[in-house]
Amino acid sequence: MSNATQSDALLSPEFLAQLERMELVSRKIFRGRMKGERRSPRKGHSVEFADFRNYVPGDDLRFIDWNTYARLDRLFLKIFFEEEDLRFYSLIDASASMSFGTPSKLRYAQQLAAALGFIGLIRGDRVRIETLGQRQTRSPAYRGRQNVWRMQEQLLAIEPDQTTSLTTGVKNFCIRNPGKGIVVVISDLMDKEGYESAFKYLLSRQMDIYVIHVLSAEELDPEIKGDLRLVDCEDDDVAEITASAPLLKRYQKTLAAFVEGAREFCARRGMNYLLANNQVPVEQLISGYLRRRGLVR
Amino acid sequence: MTTINMLAPWQWALLAVIPAVIVLLYFLKLKRQPLEVPSTYLWHKSIEDLHVNSIWQRLRRNILLFLQLLFIGILAFAFLRPGWRGTELTGDRFIFLIDNSASMSATDVEPTRLDEAKRRVSELINQMATGDVAMIVSFSDAARVDQLFTDNRRELLRGLEAIRPTNRKTLLGEALRVAAGLANPGQSAFEISDTQVAEPLPATVYIFSDGRFPSVEGFSLGNLEPKFVPIGDDVAPNVAITAFSTRRREDQADQLQAFARLTNTGVEPVAAQVELYRDEELLDADQVELDAGDAGGVVFDLGEVQTGVLKLRTSSGGALAVDDEAWTVIDPPTQAKILFVTPGNDALELAFTTESAEEMAEVDIVEPGYLETDEYRARTAEGYYALVVYDQCQPKELPPANTLFIGTLPPGQTWTAGEPVEAPQIIDVETAHPLMQLIDLGDVKFAETRVLEVPSGGTSLIDSHVGPMFAIAPRGPYEDAVLAAEIYGVDADGERFANTDWPLRLSFPVFVLNAIRYFGDVGTATAGNTVQPGETVHLRSATSADSLAVRTPSGKQVSLGRETSETFSFSGTDELGVYLIEEPDQPVRRFAVNLFDPPESDIAKTDDVQIGYVEVAGEASWEGARQELWKVLLMGALVVLCVEWYIYNRRVYL
């Protein structure tokens, strides 16, 4: 029951109601395993006609277009679009750095993943929640409205204690999930090794990639004073600073350069990048920004 | 560059501890407050931008520490008193002779020559090593020891600071004699052979002056090693008023004229503007064209002016200001009243009626019978006459006035004389006395004379080979002069005869004028004459009061007591300007003090001076003693401290 309470906290009923009217949109068309509500590149047995092709022995006689045969005296096979389900992955960064902020960046990521996952489940998509530091075992794929609670439970069980780097985490994710689909990476991208190689792995899989860069207010606009010894919560790295107006200005500059760098990296490679401030409510982010970006409609 | 260690070893040790403490405190202070952040990734990147290279980065990180250490370092260096040796002090005993005469007030050296001299001396004092002793003497026409030999620099600097400029002229001799006191101890000649009374202590004499003084004659430097430091410019423009007086016109006695003489001691021709003020009101102005080194006069017609103070000012005075103003006093013409009692004395009568004598005195010539009249008694009693001359006669009692007896003695027992002596030979004349000034009796013969017993307090003015012939002695506020020889006598047969040929000599009318001037109080300083600064003025009182007040130009009142029976001495004539003589119930009298000293006004410095037989060349260039660096260092330290404080507060960098 406690989980239910938590999930209530994760997404409000009003928001859920709002989400029910949305669906996930992929700019690419992916092949699915089960027949879903989407067209598949694979031709199949839907009602929507796609093409003709010559009959070769062994083809299912049920699909021969007899009308054409009557007119042309040649055997043609009718091909139909296959309707398939969509694979939707939420890849959450659960490193220690995500525990900062109010609400914490992880909580924010959980809410985002829950919201998007909920849309996918409603529309019969195949939804999988993964974290970067996850072991080799795959997470269960959820499908159908009945799995909303299970998905939320899995989300709430994520703790910000993983130490895997962004690159390793994405690599493992790619190994675990060979299929294509939409992947939404929710991370603060604060990895000293950089995010570029990690995204290259995803790009090689030709997935529809969304990067939601979650930053907390104290990262976007730090309010610090005096002589400080900044300790990195992940690797205990130390930076000794004396907070001053010029230094803060330089930090803002560095941050802006960092964000701009990520945005440009993504834009050049057909990825969608979105900077999310944890002070902006998830509802607003989904119904506003993500809708405009075309992830949901 | 050399250094002077200012600290003892233990003080250095103490100083050395400070950097260690700073480093210690710095690391203690740098306990930064830990703060956990999501990632130091961006912070490192921000810092990296500031830390282009690692050395600079480290320097920046510890910039406050470095600045503090630098500050201490500069301080320590300053304690070493680094500097460049300039003019070196030689020897271990120094005598600084500082000229504070009028010409040292010249402003051709900023701010004045005297200040420059004091600055240089202070530099030398600061350069003195431990154990060195020095003495400071300031000199103008008199020498003044401002600080006796001491090794206490503070005392020396205090003595130096106390030296004030004067308006006097310059004479080096006395200062050198003061300086020589210890270096050249006197010789005592009491025993058979000369013995030295003390060990001579050689010393170096630094003479700081513009060199405008007469060479010192008859002085042997002995153990003194002179160094002359000339101060001033070789060419200093100056226009001086070297004379200023008033005179009645020859043709119209009631008209007054003022005469002034200006001297241009510079090397450029000058058109000097002069302004004449009477009682501080502008009366007239004129311009005098003066070639280089030339002097010129200017005359102002004053018209009928009875009284007042005239001031002459030149506005193109050049570098020396004290000779740009001169004062003179116009007093109402006063004539001394003289009573001449004689049965007949053509020579004296003639001398009393010369033009000069008539200008100065109004002489009543009477027969001895007048002495018996009431008028005589009344007039002498009220002090009407300044001088009564008794020729060949004697009053019953001495009047309340100055008296001159010729051929007779004053009544009473005070004055006595011996029997007449024939053909006395004059062997000495006291020309220092105002009565006998400019009088030469070498060609004067007397037939006979009596020999005077000079009363106590009296002075013999003419001495013959047998004794005093002419003497003067005080009597209360008055003086009695007695010439024991007659000018005209009456022999046993009642015949008049000339006892001397003095009336035929030039010195006779001069003597009479001296007598009028001296006894009649005419032509002294109070009658419009000017005095040079520092000169002693002998003032006479019109009354028998015991004190007299003199008000200086700056308004200071000096009360004088009667010094001798007849005069008051006033020596505080250091200020230039008009002095007032104030006596109760008497009109205020005045006299002026002016520089009027052409050599002193010629302010171009000389490059060498003559002392005895030694020519002392001026130190060609003054190296500013020692170029001290510690002030600059302290300023630098202050700047470092300010920068440190700024960085600490602004935290511009890490």
Side-chain angles (χ1 to χ4, degrees):
Chain A
M1 200 59 216
S2 66
N3 282 348
T5 321
Q6 276 179 340
S7 75
D8 281 346
L10 221 58
L11 297 172
S12 66
E14 296 80 26
F15 186 44
L16 287 176
Q18 205 182 334
L19 291 176
E20 279 195 34
R21 295 193 295 276
M22 294 185 179
E23 65 171 317
L24 295 170
V25 182
S26 172
R27 290 174 302 168
K28 298 172 181 175
I29 298 170
F30 298 110
R31 200 173 56 176
R33 285 243 173 109
M34 299 179 71
K35 290 184 185 357
E37 291 185 345
R38 287 161 205 286
R39 264 187 343 194
S40 162
R42 284 192 286 184
K43 304 297 177 280
H45 305 279
S46 71
V47 290
E48 201 172 342
F49 171 77
D51 205 357
F52 291 104
R53 73 166 167 81
N54 287 331
Y55 171 79
V56 287
D59 278 342
D60 195 339
L61 295 177
R62 284 179 296 171
F63 296 113
I64 291 175
D65 190 344
W66 298 110
N67 292 332
T68 317
Y69 177 70
R71 213 167 41 230
L72 301 173
D73 201 19
R74 284 180 67 180
L75 286 171
F76 284 99
L77 212 63
K78 277 201 280 191
I79 303 169
F80 295 91
F81 281 114
E82 177 87 315
E83 282 191 343
E84 284 190 354
D85 60 345
L86 179 72
R87 296 177 195 195
F88 176 79
Y89 301 96
S90 282
L91 182 55
I92 297 172
D93 180 358
S95 62
S97 67
M98 292 293 282
S99 62
F100 283 83
T102 320
S104 75
K105 289 188 279 181
L106 182 64
R107 169 89 181 160
Y108 198 76
Q110 287 167 335
Q111 286 179 319
L112 260 176
L116 294 172
F118 180 75
I119 299 170
L121 290 180
I122 295 293
R123 294 290 170 188
D125 294 329
R126 197 193 294 251
V127 175
R128 215 184 272 273
I129 306 293
E130 299 255 342
T131 62
L132 287 176
Q134 203 168 324
R135 309 257 171 240
Q136 289 300 332
T137 49
R138 292 170 70 181
S139 312
Y142 305 109
R143 198 182 150 105
R145 184 185 277 271
Q146 69 277 15
N147 284 315
V148 168
W149 303 114
R150 257 191 276 164
M151 181 189 75
Q152 286 203 9
E153 264 172 37
Q154 190 202 340
L155 275 172
L156 287 170
I158 297 172
E159 291 294 331
D161 53 1
Q162 299 176 356
T163 51
T164 319
S165 74
L166 190 61
T167 312
T168 318
V170 170
K171 192 170 141 193
N172 291 342
F173 167 79
C174 292
I175 294 168
R176 285 198 301 271
N177 298 288
K180 294 176 180 176
I182 300 177
V183 58
V184 177
V185 183
I186 308 172
S187 168
D188 55 9
L189 302 185
M190 292 291 181
D191 194 308
K192 294 199 171 68
E193 293 166 21
Y195 50 81
E196 291 87 350
S197 52
F199 289 163
K200 276 175 188 161
Y201 278 110
L202 284 177
L203 284 166
S204 65
R205 301 296 298 270
Q206 294 179 338
M207 295 179 107
D208 199 359
I209 307 163
Y210 285 81
V211 177
I212 299 180
H213 189 183
V214 184
L215 287 177
S216 62
E218 48 266 65
E219 281 167 309
L220 288 166
D221 192 12
E223 286 179 0
I224 53 173
K225 274 181 206 157
D227 291 314
L228 294 173
R229 195 161 159 271
L230 301 182
V231 183
D232 195 315
C233 64
E234 291 179 10
D235 55 7
D236 289 338
D237 181 42
V238 166
E240 291 189 339
I241 63 153
T242 302
S244 63
L247 179 72
L248 290 178
K249 207 185 269 179
R250 198 159 281 278
Y251 174 84
Q252 290 290 358
K253 235 185 222 175
T254 312
L255 177 68
F258 177 64
V259 168
E260 201 46 50
R263 190 192 304 281
E264 199 182 329
F265 180 87
C266 295
R268 280 173 187 274
R269 289 163 180 78
M271 299 156 70
N272 275 297
Y273 173 86
L274 181 72
L275 176 67
N277 183 344
N278 70 342
Q279 301 303 306
V280 178
V282 177
E283 292 85 348
Q284 198 183 330
L285 190 79
I286 302 255
S287 55
Y289 299 114
L290 284 181
R291 201 171 211 177
R292 240 175 285 145
R293 291 298 174 87
L295 178 63
V296 293
R297 74 178 169 208
Chain B
M1 196 167 77
T2 55
T3 56
I4 300 173
N5 189 356
M6 299 296 290
L7 297 185
W10 68 269
Q11 287 168 320
W12 277 115
L14 207 64
L15 195 66
V17 170
I18 296 176
V21 171
I22 287 179
V23 172
L24 208 68
L25 284 175
Y26 189 79
F27 285 115
L28 288 177
K29 188 185 80 179
L30 218 69
K31 278 272 181 196
R32 290 170 186 270
Q33 205 181 339
L35 177 72
E36 198 170 52
V37 290
S39 174
T40 53
Y41 179 59
L42 289 177
W43 289 111
H44 273 302
K45 282 191 103 170
S46 306
I47 299 165
E48 271 165 22
D49 288 345
L50 292 170
H51 300 165
V52 180
N53 69 59
S54 63
I55 295 173
W56 188 225
Q57 167 191 350
R58 258 176 238 159
L59 185 80
R60 272 197 178 145
R61 185 169 296 174
N62 299 323
I63 189 147
L64 293 181
L65 174 66
F66 285 118
L67 285 174
Q68 284 159 6
L69 290 180
L70 184 65
F71 176 72
I72 284 295
I74 292 175
L75 276 192
F77 192 46
F79 275 124
L80 279 173
R81 269 187 73 186
W84 288 270
R85 281 257 171 189
T87 305
E88 291 218 17
L89 275 173
T90 48
D92 54 4
R93 290 175 75 83
F94 312 103
I95 301 166
F96 299 113
L97 302 187
I98 299 161
D99 182 356
N100 64 348
S101 65
S103 59
M104 290 297 279
S105 301
T107 52
D108 55 338
V109 181
E110 290 291 327
T112 66
R113 290 180 176 184
L114 181 63
D115 289 323
E116 172 68 10
K118 283 158 78 171
R119 188 183 67 76
R120 292 188 183 184
V121 173
S122 70
E123 282 177 0
L124 289 181
I125 289 172
N126 285 326
Q127 202 185 321
M128 280 166 56
T130 312
D132 286 0
V133 291
M135 172 164 106
I136 294 177
V137 177
S138 62
F139 69 97
S140 49
D141 56 351
R144 193 185 119 132
V145 178
D146 293 285
Q147 178 59 49
L148 285 166
F149 273 115
T150 178
D151 60 351
N152 185 335
R153 287 185 204 167
R154 194 176 297 174
E155 291 285 330
L156 286 167
L157 290 174
R158 197 178 299 152
L160 180 69
E161 198 46 49
I163 297 175
R164 294 277 167 265
T166 66
N167 295 316
R168 302 182 177 205
K169 55 190 178 186
T170 323
L171 288 173
L172 180 61
E174 194 186 330
L176 282 174
R177 272 181 273 280
V178 168
L182 282 171
N184 303 324
Q187 309 276 317
S188 85
F190 297 120
E191 304 295 326
I192 299 157
S193 61
D194 287 359
T195 49
Q196 201 126 354
V197 293
E199 277 296 306
L201 296 166
T204 312
V205 181
Y206 283 88
I207 304 165
F208 291 84
S209 171
D210 48 16
R212 304 310 303 192
F213 47 79
S215 40
V216 184
E217 306 287 349
F219 180 81
S220 171
L221 284 162
N223 290 313
L224 293 177
E225 192 200 331
K227 281 183 187 289
F228 172 52
V229 184
I231 288 175
D233 278 353
D234 293 328
V235 282
N238 188 34
V239 173
I241 299 171
T242 49
F244 181 45
S245 64
T246 56
R247 197 169 9 150
R248 304 209 166 266
R249 284 176 74 122
E250 298 290 336
D251 45 350
Q252 292 163 283
D254 55 343
Q255 300 285 306
L256 209 61
Q257 283 181 313
F259 297 87
R261 186 176 172 80
L262 285 94
T263 310
N264 174 19
T265 61
V267 293
E268 300 279 332
V270 172
Q273 312 279 339
V274 284
E275 292 153 9
L276 180 69
Y277 298 83
R278 182 183 156 212
D279 296 334
E280 296 298 326
E281 271 181 40
L282 183 66
L283 210 62
D284 205 349
D286 204 348
Q287 180 169 323
V288 193
E289 303 285 339
L290 296 169
D291 284 336
D294 204 3
V298 60
V299 181
F300 295 98
D301 279 317
L302 300 175
E304 288 187 41
V305 177
Q306 292 302 316
T307 178
V309 174
L310 291 181
K311 182 173 93 169
L312 190 72
R313 210 171 75 81
T314 174
S315 51
S316 15
L320 186 59
V322 292
D323 58 10
D324 296 342
E325 286 186 322
W327 293 263
T328 189
V329 173
I330 311 170
D331 274 339
T334 53
Q335 281 183 308
K337 301 282 191 295
I338 293 174
L339 181 66
F340 179 29
V341 190
T342 177
N345 190 332
D346 307 338
L348 258 179
E349 278 173 32
L350 190 65
F352 272 129
T353 49
T354 59
E355 198 178 326
S356 302
E358 281 188 330
E359 261 183 27
M360 291 192 287
E362 190 186 318
V363 185
D364 296 335
I365 303 173
V366 293
E367 296 280 329
Y370 182 71
L371 298 177
E372 306 300 329
T373 63
D374 291 337
E375 190 187 352
Y376 164 76
R377 275 188 285 275
R379 284 206 161 174
T380 49
E382 70 183 20
Y384 180 78
Y385 295 110
L387 170 68
V388 183
V389 183
Y390 300 96
D391 177 37
Q392 307 163 62
C393 61
Q394 199 183 31
K396 286 204 174 68
E397 55 186 22
L398 283 167
N402 295 313
T403 59
L404 171 62
F405 286 83
I406 297 169
T408 51
L409 292 179
Q413 302 301 312
T414 318
W415 289 84
T416 52
E419 286 303 306
V421 179
E422 290 201 352
Q425 298 294 309
I426 294 170
I427 54 171
D428 191 24
V429 176
E430 180 62 25
T431 48
H433 196 275
L435 259 182
M436 304 308 286
Q437 265 174 8
L438 309 170
I439 287 175
D440 175 23
L441 299 181
D443 52 354
V444 173
K445 297 179 196 67
F446 284 88
E448 62 168 38
T449 184
R450 295 165 76 185
V451 177
L452 285 171
E453 290 284 331
V454 183
S456 65
T459 313
S460 169
L461 299 177
I462 301 176
D463 278 316
S464 72
H465 72 288
V466 286
M469 284 174 63
F470 183 39
I472 186 164
R475 168 173 53 91
Y478 310 107
E479 284 183 287
D480 299 317
V482 178
L483 178 64
E486 289 181 317
I487 293 172
Y488 288 106
V490 180
D491 63 9
D493 305 332
E495 288 287 317
R496 274 181 83 232
F497 70 94
N499 188 41
T500 173
D501 60 354
W502 193 15
L504 304 179
R505 306 297 175 210
L506 195 60
S507 54
F508 188 70
V510 175
F511 165 73
V512 172
L513 286 180
N514 279 351
I516 295 172
R517 231 182 244 126
Y518 181 71
F519 289 119
D521 202 6
V522 177
T524 60
T526 56
N529 273 12
T530 78
V531 179
Q532 288 204 320
E535 218 173 88
T536 301
V537 186
H538 297 287
L539 304 168
R540 303 170 70 85
S541 170
T543 66
S544 56
D546 283 333
S547 69
L548 194 84
V550 176
R551 192 176 288 277
T552 65
S554 60
K556 201 170 70 177
Q557 194 164 12
V558 183
S559 191
L560 301 178
R562 203 174 271 276
E563 203 163 72
T564 64
S565 56
E566 75 275 21
T567 58
F568 297 87
S569 295
F570 178 66
S571 55
T573 52
D574 282 317
E575 281 178 63
L576 298 179
V578 175
Y579 290 67
L580 307 180
I581 306 165
E582 293 167 344
E583 281 183 275
D585 305 328
Q586 290 288 320
V588 172
R589 291 177 294 160
R590 291 164 292 203
F591 67 96
V593 175
N594 290 303
L595 183 61
F596 291 171
D597 188 1
E600 198 63 40
S601 293
D602 186 3
I603 56 171
K605 79 159 186 213
T606 52
D607 287 330
D608 41 36
V609 292
Q610 181 90 29
I611 298 173
Y613 298 107
V614 183
E615 183 152 309
V616 183
E619 306 280 318
S621 62
W622 180 258
E623 299 279 335
R626 194 184 150 78
Q627 300 286 320
E628 291 282 6
L629 210 59
W630 63 271
K631 282 180 191 163
V632 181
L633 285 174
L634 281 193
M635 287 306 293
L638 202 64
V639 169
V640 167
L641 206 61
C642 291
V643 169
E644 198 258 1
W645 181 244
Y646 175 77
I647 290 176
Y648 176 74
N649 279 293
R650 286 294 306 271
R651 304 291 170 84
V652 183
Y653 303 109
L654 277 178

